[in-house]
Amino acid sequence: MAFDNTFYATVALVIFLALMLYFGIPKIVGTMLDKQIKKIADDLAEAKTLREEAAALLVEYEQKRVAAESEAEGIIAAAKEEAVRLTAEAQKSLTELIARRTKSVEDKIAQAEAHAVAEVRARSADVAIEAARLVLTDEMNRKGGQVVDKAIADVGNRLN
């Protein structure tokens, strides 16, 4: 029988496979593949855990963002309310200040008027007294004796 290259290749393959089985290569390869499969499964589990943690963090940060936005809106609303209140207080204070100043000026004007009226009256009284003195002096110079005699007679009549 003639042995050709195919025969030798087949015999070599059978011997190679027999040696592999003898030395337990399939078991070693299976063990290595099992380790690799376990490592990949562990990596997948870790990746799943990390993904779940990331999703939880995303939810948490979204809640914090919403809370921060609502807090910011509350702060803005409070600031607007405070600004309105302060504006109203300032307007009220300004109105009160204007009223006090107006009253003060009116009081000063009234005092000045009263002082002017009193001064005019005093001056008028002084002028009237001076006029009466001049008239009486003039009258006394002309009819002095008659007036005194009449006044004495009047006093006498009144005493009786």
Side-chain angles (χ1 to χ4, degrees):
M1 180 136 115
F3 296 111
D4 62 352
N5 289 337
T6 310
F7 174 74
Y8 289 116
T10 304
V11 171
L13 180 63
V14 170
I15 292 172
F16 176 73
L17 290 175
L19 283 174
M20 282 183 52
L21 286 174
Y22 178 76
F23 287 111
I25 299 295
K27 188 175 184 182
I28 293 171
V29 170
T31 305
M32 285 180 6
L33 287 175
D34 286 344
K35 285 181 184 177
Q36 192 66 24
I37 290 170
K38 184 173 181 337
K39 182 178 180 270
I40 291 171
D42 289 346
D43 288 347
L44 285 173
E46 183 179 351
K48 184 180 178 184
T49 304
L50 289 174
R51 184 176 183 274
E52 289 172 354
E53 288 176 4
L57 282 174
L58 179 64
V59 168
E60 180 182 342
Y61 284 120
E62 182 63 23
Q63 290 172 345
K64 286 182 180 181
R65 184 190 62 83
V66 168
E69 284 178 357
S70 66
E71 184 179 345
E73 288 173 2
I75 290 170
I76 289 170
K80 285 180 181 178
E81 193 175 293
E82 182 72 11
V84 168
R85 186 184 63 78
L86 289 175
T87 302
E89 285 180 10
Q91 186 66 31
K92 181 181 174 187
S93 295
L94 180 62
T95 303
E96 289 174 356
L97 177 66
I98 290 171
R100 281 195 310 269
R101 293 262 171 106
T102 302
K103 175 123 175 63
S104 174
V105 168
E106 288 172 351
D107 289 347
K108 286 180 182 179
I109 290 171
Q111 286 176 350
E113 284 178 357
H115 182 67
V117 168
E119 197 172 304
V120 167
R121 283 185 182 159
R123 185 76 177 139
S124 296
D126 290 344
V127 168
I129 290 171
E130 185 61 28
R133 188 184 66 76
L134 289 174
V135 169
L136 285 176
T137 305
D138 189 40
E139 205 48 44
M140 284 302 283
N141 287 339
R142 281 187 293 149
K143 300 180 187 175
Q146 292 174 353
V147 172
V148 172
D149 291 340
K150 188 175 178 190
I152 290 173
D154 258 355
V155 172
N157 288 341
R158 286 188 184 182
L159 288 177
N160 292 332

